[in-house]
């Protein structure tokens, strides 16, 4: 069979067979295009999931040192005569989160033989200037003497007694931040 015979044989092909072959090829092209969209969507979904997993791992690492079993509450620390502009605080809502301590110990102060530990809550109310007390010394560890604290090396820490189980301590005199410390 030579070239002319081949061309003559192809000329005798029924047009319905040519149309059928063409539609089969176009179906495969459509299927390939749809598959590429699915692969692109799957890849995008994989990137989103990987980003969420990485972010959650970083957040969990940041909060490993937080003791979730210990509940922080206001314990009635907001005085009844507090200023009207103060935000509303319920017993289950902490006002501030605890500041990371510089040492292995949380911020603590010893007063009248009892150890008081920082609750992480800011005191909102008036400071009784006439009944302020002063911490007398600093320690790198857990306080063991009256007037000793472990968070301010200057030992110029002012505080006052809030109640039987709580004192209020000025942890940042420059910013005027007063925090509630609870008896341990």
């Amino acid at each position: 069979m030579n070239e002319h015979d081949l061309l003559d044989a192809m000329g005798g092909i029924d047009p319905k067979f040519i149309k059928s072959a063409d539609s089969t090829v176009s179906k495969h092209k459509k299927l390939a295009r749809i598959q590429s969209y699915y692969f692109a969507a799957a890849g995008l979904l994989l990137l989103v999931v990987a980003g969420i997993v990485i972010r959650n791992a970083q957040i969990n690492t940041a909060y490993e040192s937080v003791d979730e079993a210990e509940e922080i509450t206001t314990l009635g620390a907001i005085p009844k005569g507090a200023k009207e502009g103060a935000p509303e605080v319920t017993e289950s809502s902490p006002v501030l989160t605890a500041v990371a301590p510089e040492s292995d110990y949380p911020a603590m102060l010893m007063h009248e033989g009892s150890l008081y530990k920082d609750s992480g809550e800011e005191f909102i109310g008036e400071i009784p200037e006439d009944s302020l007390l002063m911490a007398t010394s600093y320690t790198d560890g857990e306080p063991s003497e009256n007037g000793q604290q472990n968070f301010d090396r200057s030992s110029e820490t002012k505080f006052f007694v809030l109640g039987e189980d709580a004192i209020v301590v000025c942890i940042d005199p420059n910013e005027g931040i007063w925090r509630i410390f609870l008896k341990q």
Side-chain angles (χ1 to χ4, degrees), residues 43-55:
L44 183 61
L45 181 63
L46 181 65
L47 285 174
V48 169
V49 169
I52 291 171
V53 168
I54 290 170
R55 183 171 181 259

Side-chain angles (χ1 to χ4, degrees), residues 109-116 145-146 164 167 183-184:
L109 186 143
M110 183 167 277
H111 175 66
E112 293 184 354
S114 296
L115 191 60
Y116 292 84
E145 301 172 7
N146 282 332
E164 187 176 308
I167 61 173
K183 186 186 266 186
Q184 297 300 298

Side-chain angles (χ1 to χ4, degrees), residues 133-148:
L133 302 169
M134 183 80 74
T136 56
S137 65
Y138 170 83
T139 182
D140 285 329
E142 185 174 300
S144 59
E145 301 172 7
N146 282 332
Q148 194 173 51

Side-chain angles (χ1 to χ4, degrees), residues 132-173:
L132 288 178
L133 302 169
M134 183 80 74
T136 56
S137 65
Y138 170 83
T139 182
D140 285 329
E142 185 174 300
S144 59
E145 301 172 7
N146 282 332
Q148 194 173 51
Q149 48 82 16
N150 68 350
F151 55 90
D152 182 10
R153 293 187 187 275
S154 70
S155 293
E156 296 177 1
T157 305
K158 295 179 181 179
F159 68 97
F160 66 92
V161 177
L162 182 63
E164 187 176 308
D165 294 330
I167 61 173
V168 177
V169 180
C170 181
I171 61 161
D172 188 352

Side-chain angles (χ1 to χ4, degrees), residues 2-131:
N2 62 25
E3 295 174 2
H4 295 289
D5 292 338
L6 180 62
L7 287 174
D8 288 338
M10 284 179 50
I13 295 177
D14 192 358
K16 70 177 182 180
F17 295 125
I18 295 173
K19 204 177 229 181
S20 168
D22 187 35
S23 68
T24 304
V25 170
S26 65
K27 283 182 184 177
H28 289 295
K29 285 182 182 178
K30 286 180 184 177
L31 183 62
R33 191 176 328 138
I34 290 172
Q35 285 177 342
S36 67
Y37 289 140
Y38 282 127
F39 286 132
L44 183 61
L45 181 63
L46 181 65
L47 285 174
V48 169
V49 169
I52 291 171
V53 168
I54 290 170
R55 183 171 181 259
N56 284 343
Q58 290 172 345
I59 289 173
N60 288 340
T61 303
Y63 289 109
E64 281 181 352
S65 63
V66 176
D67 182 12
E68 294 178 10
E70 182 178 330
E71 183 179 347
I72 299 173
T73 62
T74 60
L75 297 174
I78 309 301
K80 292 182 180 179
K83 296 179 181 178
E84 289 183 4
E88 184 178 331
V89 179
T90 63
E91 281 195 6
S92 63
S93 64
V95 178
L96 281 181
T97 56
V99 175
E102 293 179 8
S103 70
D104 293 338
Y105 296 95
M108 295 184 276
L109 186 143
M110 183 167 277
H111 175 66
E112 293 184 354
S114 296
L115 191 60
Y116 292 84
K117 180 178 165 186
D118 185 6
S119 69
E121 294 182 62
E122 183 177 2
F123 176 77
I124 301 172
E126 293 190 35
I127 308 301
E129 297 292 331
D130 57 337
S131 61

